Amino acid sequence: VIFPIQTRIKGWDSIREKTASKLEEAIINHDIDNFINPNKPADIKKIINDIIGARFIVKKADEDANRVIIDRLIELVEANKLKITSIDVILPENSDDFKPYIKNDDLEELAAVANIKNKENHLDIPEVKVNPIKSMSGYSAIHIDVDLSDDEMPVKFSDYKGELQIIGGDVAYFKDLEDLCYKLLQNKNIKSGHGAYQYFVNYFENNLYNRENVEN
């Protein structure tokens, strides 16, 4: 029911930008719990949930067929091979009747199993809930945050957090484009400055400049 699983690790420049953004947000909001030392890897791991990511691109928005994804995730949770910390359902803001890729009852079952295993393993993790989040862009996906810490691994390779995405193929292409535009608006680097994206960057910046002049 899915295409080959895609995985990625954030580049150093993306990690640096997100760390700076998170630290700025904590300072502005006087959020003491998220004050960190940006020079300490352990602190960076603490506040960035998606240094490691995987994407399950479903072939169809078929809730019944896609149940197999939940079955497999439940198997991994019960075998202590996957520690889930949160489940977010991203939905279009103006579509009340929109059906996501997975039934809500199936996601609630996954959350319930995760809570049982987290409690059995004495993990200091808040209760896992299925959180609906409205997206202004129309982007739709399911984001599952996971704790990748492992006592058997050296500290250098442990204590990371990761994100699993369940998303449709057409939406995945749209999300990639949206990410590029968002990063450009935030003055962030694109794909570590890869030359293949420079034409897009130039086009975006020139048209943004022209549009601002017209509006002014």
Side-chain angles (χ1 to χ4, degrees):
V1 300
I2 64 173
F3 293 100
I5 296 174
Q6 299 178 354
T7 61
R8 66 106 181 96
I9 299 175
K10 275 187 178 297
W12 63 267
D13 53 342
S14 181
I15 293 173
R16 180 185 63 186
E17 289 175 341
K18 192 158 189 176
T19 300
S21 177
K22 290 280 190 180
L23 183 56
E24 178 186 28
E25 182 179 336
I27 293 172
I28 291 174
N29 295 325
H30 303 286
D31 184 2
I32 298 176
D33 291 338
N34 284 315
F35 279 5
I36 65 160
N37 182 340
N39 295 313
K40 290 185 176 181
D43 282 9
I44 294 174
K45 291 177 184 180
K46 175 185 173 183
I47 64 169
I48 300 185
N49 295 331
D50 62 346
I51 290 179
I52 300 169
R55 180 178 280 182
F56 303 161
I57 300 180
V58 299
K59 294 182 178 180
K60 294 182 180 180
D62 186 330
E63 293 178 323
D64 292 325
N66 293 335
R67 165 69 200 197
V68 68
I69 300 173
I70 298 300
D71 289 338
R72 182 60 179 142
L73 292 176
I74 288 176
E75 288 179 13
L76 293 171
V77 172
E78 291 180 333
N80 292 320
K81 294 182 178 180
L82 188 66
K83 292 177 282 189
I84 293 177
T85 60
S86 70
I87 301 174
D88 294 334
V89 181
I90 317 297
L91 298 171
E93 186 176 46
N94 299 320
S95 298
D96 294 333
D97 60 345
F98 182 84
K99 292 184 178 180
Y101 315 104
I102 305 290
K103 290 180 180 178
N104 191 71
D105 287 347
D106 293 342
L107 292 173
E108 292 286 359
E109 181 181 347
L110 176 62
V113 173
N115 285 322
I116 291 172
K117 295 304 294 186
N118 290 343
K119 186 175 181 179
E120 287 180 358
N121 294 321
H122 306 288
L123 299 180
D124 185 20
I125 295 175
E127 180 183 1
V128 178
K129 299 180 179 179
V130 179
N131 306 307
I133 298 175
K134 292 292 187 176
S135 167
M136 292 179 62
S137 69
Y139 166 56
S140 57
I142 296 169
H143 291 182
I144 301 174
D145 286 344
V146 297
D147 181 348
L148 300 175
S149 57
D150 188 336
D151 293 337
E152 297 182 1
M153 296 178 67
V155 173
K156 179 179 179 179
F157 301 110
S158 187
D159 296 330
Y160 284 97
K161 299 174 183 177
E163 179 185 74
L164 306 178
Q165 291 185 2
I166 301 174
I167 190 171
D170 53 347
V171 179
Y173 284 119
F174 170 72
K175 182 64 169 63
D176 289 341
L177 180 59
E178 183 192 35
D179 281 346
L180 291 175
C181 294
Y182 170 77
K183 288 184 177 181
L184 286 169
L185 285 171
Q186 298 295 319
N187 294 316
K188 293 182 177 181
N189 202 1
I190 301 297
K191 303 291 185 182
S192 300
H194 196 293
Y197 293 88
Q198 193 57 48
Y199 289 106
F200 176 83
V201 172
N202 293 340
Y203 179 84
F204 184 93
E205 290 179 344
N206 290 335
N207 280 275
L208 179 64
Y209 174 78
N210 292 332
R211 185 166 65 250
E212 288 178 343
N213 283 342
V214 171
E215 291 173 353
N216 292 333

